[in-house]
Amino acid sequence: MVLADLGRRINSAFAQLSRSPVIDDKALDALLKEVASALLESDVNVKLVATLRQKVKAKVKAQIEAGADKGKDINRKSIIQRAIFDELVQLVDPGVEPYKPKKGHSNVIMAVGLQGNGKTTTCTKLAVHYQRRGLKSCIVCADTFRAGAFDQTRQSATKAKIPYFGSYTETDPVAIAAQGVTKFKKERFEVIIVDTSGRHKQEAELFQEMIQIGEKVNPDMTVLVLDASIGQAAEAQAKAFKESADFGAIIVTKMDGHAKGGGAISAVAATKTPIIFLGTGEHLHDLDRFSPEPFISKMLGMGDIQGFMDHMQNVAMANPEKQKEMQKKLGEGKLSIRDWREQIQNVMNMGPLSKIASMIPGLPQGMLEGTDEEGGARMKRMMIITDSMTAAELDSDGSPFIIFDEKNNKVVDVNKRRLKRIAKGSGSSVREVEEMLCQYRMMSNMAKSVGGKNGWMQNLQKMQQAMGRGRGAGGMPTPAQIAQMQRSLPPGMLQQMRQSGGNMQEMMKAMMGGASDEEMGEMNRMMQQMAGGMGGLGGMGQMFQNMMGGMGRGR
């Protein structure tokens, strides 16, 4: 991933700072030297790097002189880290708000850039992005210079079900752009994306053509599509395009490769223009919204919760009716094998596991490297096993696979005949089918505990309503609010929490229907890492103890 190496280098420099016995000017200089070296190796402009060093030193010095460190080295470390983080954010944040398409209005967006930077693919991705957000989108192909440009637009737009306009006979790109924009405006399209020919700053004729197209269609926003891999050349090219087309936003492509990517940062600083999207792959949905602070946070391994939530929302928006139906079922505490299968499909649609993991605070960078294929293969295997089930089995709660003794009210055995049939049909072993059913059972038990009339979801909502906002220190609830929470909980739930001794792991284990200690240990470690990355969760255990009346003390 682009800039992943930069993030690792800066994190390594922070680790060295943490090991320093004394935080003085010498330690700060050593840290800044390492950070500057990492930025230069990533193709960030040398002037920008020099300015960053000066600003960090000035900011740290001012805060220490003002007594913000309270004479402690640990506070100085936090001040230094925060100063570097803020200045890195400033590198990719010009402080300019990009144009946002308005619903009910024809918004014309013109894409410009060098040849081979991925403009045509990006135009389709952009149209898909706005279409999924309820804006009627279309594409006009005004690229008559490159052979096959209109064919590429036609194929990708047809695949994405996006209306398009172009011509095999007309050779004047200005005329095509004007005709296409006029046509789609009459048809009341809300986002009209004009794809232009790729051009270089030395190609004066093509630059003149771009200016003429701009004057004819009068775009609301011109977007520069910039390849992350072109390095130091990005700054000069961006300046030339800014002077001619005065673009208002940048989309950086090929961010899924191993290019250094610092040139994109230099282009932002040189033109004072914001990045709005990052192209992260060849698929139509591989276009991520860019936000400066979460981007730097993710790069440094500190996660991007907002990006994670946006990603989840995008998956949900792909089929909103199914999502509503699923929420209703979970609210009732019901989860069939078919529902569980759909959730696995949703996880697979979210993209590589390492990409999702990089958004979660506390998970070390590279932790899931190399496991994308393994994880994807495991999920596909489970999908293949469910393909061999009948409709009745898929819509069940797993009961057809067990033999139940109604007289003694207990499970006596598994239905081996069914398991063998499914194993044979899916080309897997009986053991693999049993493991898949075990995974489903854990999720089903959690759904039952969370949903339903007296489920955790409903009870926690009641508890939150009863408590309101925490009025104590750091936003924590006061003793009076805790008492109010206790009264709002059903006696059974409070008793269950007390029996667990306030141990969140035990409560989660109960919810998951008796998961193994190894599985729970892994979940607990992940939750602790996440809590450590997010901050502000340290008092949660104490709050639960207070809420349950300090029930662990007499044990």
Side-chain angles (χ1 to χ4, degrees), residues 140-196:
V140 177
C141 178
D143 184 357
T144 57
F145 185 76
R146 178 170 65 91
F150 181 46
D151 284 327
Q152 186 185 348
T153 298
R154 183 172 54 81
Q155 287 171 9
S156 58
T158 303
K159 184 182 177 183
K161 296 178 182 175
I162 300 288
Y164 61 92
F165 179 86
S167 176
Y168 284 114
T169 54
E170 178 62 68
T171 56
D172 182 6
V174 180
I176 293 173
Q179 289 169 24
V181 171
T182 303
K183 174 183 181 292
F184 286 129
K185 276 186 176 180
K186 281 180 183 174
E187 294 172 12
R188 297 190 177 181
F189 276 84
E190 293 166 310
V191 175
I192 303 167
I193 300 167
V194 181
D195 181 19
T196 63

Side-chain angles (χ1 to χ4, degrees), residues 386-453:
T386 57
D387 283 340
S388 293
M389 293 182 181
T390 64
E393 287 167 346
L394 283 171
D395 292 323
S396 75
D397 60 356
S399 53
F401 299 98
I402 57 172
I403 298 169
F404 193 75
D405 183 356
E406 291 183 9
K407 190 178 179 182
N408 296 312
N409 196 30
K410 66 176 183 178
V411 176
V412 290
D413 202 358
V414 293
N415 192 324
K416 290 175 183 171
R417 186 175 58 82
R418 280 185 192 267
L419 295 181
K420 283 178 182 175
R421 190 201 83 232
I422 290 165
K424 192 175 180 181
S426 60
S428 53
S429 65
V430 172
R431 174 70 181 159
E432 284 176 312
V433 178
E434 286 176 339
E435 283 175 1
M436 187 227 69
L437 289 169
C438 184
Q439 293 270 346
Y440 160 72
R441 184 179 68 84
M442 285 173 64
M443 286 300 296
S444 177
N445 287 342
M446 185 179 276
K448 284 175 188 172
S449 300
V450 170
K453 258 187 179 179

Side-chain angles (χ1 to χ4, degrees), residues 306 369 405 478:
Q306 187 56 52
E369 270 183 15
D405 183 356
T478 62

Side-chain angles (χ1 to χ4, degrees), residues 477-495:
T478 62
Q481 285 180 304
I482 288 169
Q484 207 171 359
M485 286 160 69
Q486 285 177 320
R487 287 194 293 274
S488 71
L489 284 174
M493 184 180 179
L494 196 59
Q495 187 180 2

